[in-house]
Amino acid sequence: MLSKMGILCLSLLIVPFVLGANEDFKTIGRDEFEEKVKAGEKFFLAFVRKSCEHCKKLAEKIPEFEKLAKKAKLDVKFYRMNADSAELLDKELMDELKIPGVPTIYFYNGDRKGIHYNAPREGQDLFNFANNVVNHEIKQIKTKKQLDEFKKSSSGAILFILDSEKDVEKIAEISHSMYDKLFGYALKKSEAGKSLSDYVYAYGIAKPLSLNKKDYEEKVGEKGAFAKWVKLASLQLISTFPKEAADIFSAGIEHVLFYIEHSKAIEEAIPWLEKLATKKRGKLIFATIDRDDESTKDALEFFGIEPQDTRTAVRVFSTSTKQQYRLDFVPLDEGVLKNWLNQFDQGLVDVYRKSQALPEEWNEKPVKILVNDNFESVALDPEFNVFVKFYAPWCTHCQNMLPEFEDLAKKAQKSKKMKNVVIAKIDATENDIDDGFKEIEGFPTLRLYKANSNDVIEYSGDRTTEEMFKFLEENVEKYEPKKTEEKDEL
């Protein structure tokens, strides 16, 4: 479970993001969404929430996007869907569109198959992406002069050398999965084609590469593998966060190592960091976070870096589980980090789990207070059925249901049938919990951990005292101690 909303990927720290008053940033509901998709409209759709800390300033970027789109005669709109409003957004649609949380942006290119937008949210970046998707083409390169111009693409250029124009269709699907790259082809018989001997070339990236046709078909010819190959090659040995966040999180590598220091210390460490990064290339992405850079403030908070802490910080972040592994050390050098990474590779480094301090009065009121440190001993105690509310302090729905939840706890205490029922709550933004169940996908989330088995049931009914009590009556179990096997005496 993540410390920021329990669902947000670190990549969402790229640019602050929120609701605003810009009229161009129109709010739509599900019916309007379906109508626009059916009509073949091309549009961005941002899933947002007013109370979300990271949902800031997106509206300020929309005028720039609209201006660029209008100038280029690009017919692409920008809409938002408000996750705070039940009539505008329902959980069924979020599940269907695979929306992990807010904020999330999708681009719809005239059909219902949305493209997840996971890049900086400046107006120019949004325009570049939309323009690449809508007007995507595979350019034919005939001359050496055209080839030289093609190689200069700042975002990367991919060139295929083909026998005939019939083969262009084979690379069309590949190109449409890599909207940020310029694609082209040259026929073998052309001036440009005659000057090249391999089958595919990648230019304008950190590690320009080429492959002959046999190696291409054996190594990266399968769907998705080529895009991963190019994305990895596009990364610098040492990336900079948050500037290159989009590249970092789209490279398809499970773990990212963040080296967190002040500017001068980073500069001094780059030579030996590059040595380690070279050995780990393809397995671990290396990136730096400059503590002197104002744009890294959210990342420093996310990773628990205090301003007064003078230690060098290293964080390894899992792009799939969102877990992090921490190393804080003075002095930290190549040898120390190398040894720690060896331990990490062997599974000897524990996952870091954030926890609030356990209040002395945690067990005094009907609603018990849980933190990471006491979650397992309470929620997973086989003697009890434990009904837990996962909440966020800023969540209005969590605040609104508090009286009902407290009444539920009082009612359960008085019920003879619920002697082994515990009602509890936990701040999911300040405690990282791994209960073996799926991630928290929104607030509040209510889960029952059953006695005996610790089976988890997620509650999805009305958040009234009566309905929640009825749910408990139907699902709680009496504790049944496991019988110890009797052994015959010798």
Side-chain angles (χ1 to χ4, degrees), residues 294-450:
E294 184 65 26
S295 69
T296 67
K297 183 179 178 181
D298 285 338
L300 294 175
E301 180 184 348
F302 179 86
F303 283 129
I305 309 299
E306 299 292 341
Q308 67 273 15
D309 194 341
T310 59
R311 296 175 297 175
T312 299
V314 171
R315 301 289 185 264
V316 172
F317 180 77
S318 168
T319 58
S320 63
T321 67
K322 313 303 182 289
Q323 294 173 329
Q324 54 177 291
Y325 304 80
R326 295 187 171 190
L327 171 65
D328 297 287
F329 205 87
V330 174
L332 191 144
D333 56 24
E334 181 181 357
V336 172
L337 184 53
K338 184 178 180 180
N339 290 335
W340 187 78
L341 286 176
N342 286 337
Q343 290 183 311
F344 176 79
D345 289 341
Q346 296 173 50
L348 301 177
V349 178
D350 292 331
V351 173
Y352 169 78
R353 300 200 184 283
K354 187 177 182 180
S355 179
Q356 293 174 300
L358 181 64
E360 291 184 5
E361 69 282 4
W362 74 269
N363 194 30
E364 293 180 2
K365 295 182 179 180
V367 178
K368 312 306 177 185
I369 299 174
L370 301 183
V371 298
N372 181 55
D373 291 342
N374 74 332
F375 182 87
E376 185 174 347
S377 62
V378 177
L380 305 184
D381 186 337
E383 291 190 30
F384 296 92
N385 298 277
V386 185
F387 192 48
V388 182
K389 179 180 78 170
F390 295 85
Y391 72 94
W394 43 260
C395 169
T396 53
H397 297 303
C398 302
Q399 295 164 8
N400 292 339
M401 73 163 291
L402 184 58
E404 299 281 349
F405 198 67
E406 290 178 340
D407 287 344
L408 172 68
K410 295 173 184 176
K411 188 172 182 178
Q413 281 186 336
K414 296 176 181 178
S415 173
K416 294 181 179 180
K417 295 181 180 180
M418 297 192 186
K419 293 299 182 182
N420 69 328
V421 171
V422 174
I423 308 298
K425 64 180 180 179
I426 184 168
D427 182 348
T429 68
E430 293 296 332
N431 297 277
D432 295 334
I433 303 299
D434 181 10
D435 61 2
F437 201 56
K438 63 180 180 179
E439 285 186 4
I440 300 297
E441 297 179 344
F443 299 117
T445 289
L446 298 166
R447 288 178 180 171
L448 173 64
Y449 298 84
K450 299 182 70 171

Side-chain angles (χ1 to χ4, degrees), residues 21-39:
N22 180 18
E23 293 181 359
D24 292 328
F25 195 19
K26 181 183 176 182
T27 300
I28 64 172
R30 179 166 188 169
D31 291 342
E32 286 179 280
F33 166 77
E34 298 293 355
E35 289 173 4
K36 294 180 184 304
V37 167
K38 188 175 180 179

Side-chain angles (χ1 to χ4, degrees), residues 1-8 322 428-429 439-441 443:
M1 191 179 306
L2 298 183
S3 56
K4 291 283 184 180
M5 283 187 64
I7 47 179
L8 294 179
K322 313 303 182 289
T429 68
E439 285 186 4
I440 300 297
E441 297 179 344
F443 299 117

